[in-house]
Amino acid sequence: MLVVMKPNATQAEIEAVVEKIRALGLTPHPIPGAERVAIGITGNKGAVDPEPFTTMSGVADALRVSQPFKLVSREVKGEDSVIDVGGVPLGGPAITVMAGPCSVESREQLLEAAHAVKRAGARFLRGGAFKPRTSPYEFQGLGEEGLKLLALAREETGLKVVTEVMDVESLPMVADYADVLQIGARNMQNYSLLKQLGTIRKPILLKRGPAATIKEWLMAAEYVVSRGNYQVALCERGIRTFETMTRNTLDLNAVPILKSLTHLPVIVDPSHGIGLRAHVPAMARAGVAAGADGIIVEVHPRPEKALSDGQQSLTPPEFEELMRQVRVIAGAVGRSI
Ligand code: PEP
Ligand code: MN
């Protein structure tokens, strides 16, 4: 259930509702909005009786939330969520651009990529230090050494760092270095990891599982948010279909569907979505045209030498050209970069 406060409700009136929810053995989630505060209720087995709330002072209404995902739903919060990543917005009216190599490989490679994407206009640097590879014989990432290089690149460029955390054990270490924690597609339903992410105060980029429905994905986000970490963005990165011409099938249907169902920022990953360098720009443009709040793109100074995902990585000049195009598309849909 959702208790909607009146626009002029006082802090004391909000507190009284929060206390009443706690007294019923349930969990309150105050959600500030542009006009009024709403307080989500979780922890209830059946329907919560609205009566005790509607009669309280400062309360405008008590509504049932019809979706199984509650706190991430538009019903609970009408406005788009914008995550403040140390002064840089993730989501909101301006298109968020994240770019960088698939894997952190060396100091030279990372710094070259970081300076290039920064010059082109990205504000977030992506790069994996812990890599979930399909083959155990392939490059697994530099681990903490890679995280240190990401921190160095942040220091040199001012870019915010997005990097993947693969398990509960390494979470404290990765969270120490990262500005945004990426949860990889393979881990979207790692519930012990999701629960742990709910207890920390770091923005999360939750990628869609390759076989996950939109509802399952939103429920995964709900795991994090319901435990108190409200800073979650979703990333569509392609799903597995019968098609073999492309690495995955970038499900751009998900973008407008998500924008209608949830207030969380929606990012599109065209690199993993199609998996072919020549066609990444088209899908990045399409993602922005479809209403995504941002894109995450793999960029490598020498893709042919990349230790992972070279076949889908743009060169710096290709990325610069993509940024030029994305600016035009963004303008056409009422956004900026
Ligand atoms: C990545 O971003 O390099 C990655 C491994 O992504 P995904 O989890 O979407 O496969
Ligand atoms: Mn990759």
Side-chain angles (χ1 to χ4, degrees):
M1 198 173 70
L2 182 69
V3 180
V4 182
M5 302 302 294
K6 289 179 179 159
N8 57 357
T10 65
Q11 199 51 43
E13 287 168 335
I14 295 168
E15 273 306 314
V17 173
V18 164
E19 274 317 308
K20 166 91 86 191
I21 295 168
R22 286 214 183 96
L24 292 168
L26 305 174
T27 311
H29 300 268
I31 301 153
E35 314 231 299
R36 62 351 169 231
V37 170
I39 304 162
I41 301 179
T42 61
N44 49 304
K45 299 273 182 284
V48 179
D49 179 12
E51 170 71 24
F53 295 101
T54 47
T55 51
M56 290 179 78
S57 111
V59 171
D61 208 353
L63 311 165
R64 276 210 54 187
V65 179
S66 60
Q67 299 286 6
F69 41 89
K70 308 276 176 208
L71 300 172
V72 306
S73 78
R74 277 263 182 227
E75 293 175 70
V76 161
K77 185 175 178 217
E79 308 105 62
D80 284 352
S81 283
V82 183
I83 303 170
D84 176 15
V85 186
V88 179
L90 198 181
I95 299 292
T96 302
V97 180
M98 304 171 160
C102 178
S103 302
V104 178
E105 299 171 4
S106 69
R107 184 190 156 106
E108 295 65 37
Q109 172 249 17
L110 185 67
L111 291 180
E112 206 175 328
H115 284 289
V117 302
K118 157 107 185 193
R119 234 178 292 119
R123 300 197 70 187
F124 291 83
L125 173 66
R126 63 146 291 146
F130 292 92
K131 296 302 300 178
R133 303 305 301 281
T134 302
S135 163
Y137 305 118
E138 285 175 344
F139 180 58
Q140 303 286 308
L142 294 180
E144 188 167 13
E145 183 50 33
L147 297 174
K148 288 188 175 149
L149 292 174
L150 285 164
L152 174 68
R154 168 174 50 210
E155 221 172 272
E156 281 206 6
T157 60
L159 293 168
K160 301 295 177 191
V161 165
V162 185
T163 196
E164 176 161 356
V165 59
M166 280 173 47
D167 45 50
V168 172
E169 293 70 33
S170 62
L171 175 58
M173 188 215 285
V174 182
D176 245 14
Y177 291 93
D179 296 302
V180 178
L181 291 166
Q182 176 178 320
I183 305 308
R186 294 155 185 83
N187 258 326
M188 190 206 84
Q189 286 176 312
N190 179 342
Y191 295 113
S192 36
L193 181 57
L194 296 177
K195 285 180 183 173
Q196 210 56 37
L197 294 167
T199 65
I200 62 171
R201 293 295 169 266
K202 270 277 158 165
I204 308 296
L205 183 67
L206 180 63
K207 292 191 123 190
R208 180 183 190 175
T213 64
I214 292 171
K215 195 197 254 181
E216 287 164 342
W217 188 11
L218 288 168
M219 293 307 280
E222 188 81 7
Y223 259 88
V224 181
V225 174
S226 63
R227 282 172 164 73
N229 186 358
Y230 297 90
Q231 300 170 285
V232 178
L234 301 168
C235 177
E236 164 59 41
R237 47 76 74 201
I239 52 175
R240 178 161 291 188
T241 68
F242 51 79
E243 186 53 70
T244 56
M245 287 285 178
T246 55
R247 180 176 179 180
N248 289 296
T249 296
L250 186 65
D251 179 17
L252 289 180
N253 289 349
V255 175
I257 298 287
L258 286 171
K259 291 304 293 177
S260 69
L261 291 176
T262 178
H263 54 85
L264 302 182
V266 177
I267 306 296
V268 161
D269 174 351
S271 308
H272 295 86
I274 193 160
L276 301 163
R277 181 185 313 136
H279 304 304
V280 165
M283 300 317 288
R285 296 193 301 263
V288 173
D293 299 303
I295 50 174
I296 181 164
V297 182
E298 288 186 339
V299 177
H300 194 290
R302 282 162 296 280
E304 68 290 351
K305 295 251 161 64
L307 297 181
S308 64
D309 287 352
Q311 79 292 343
Q312 66 192 32
S313 299
L314 300 185
T315 62
E318 286 167 341
F319 179 65
E320 215 178 299
E321 170 59 15
L322 170 62
M323 286 296 281
R324 199 190 57 73
Q325 298 169 353
V326 167
R327 276 196 189 92
V328 178
I329 306 279
V333 293
R335 313 286 289 256
S336 61
I337 292 197

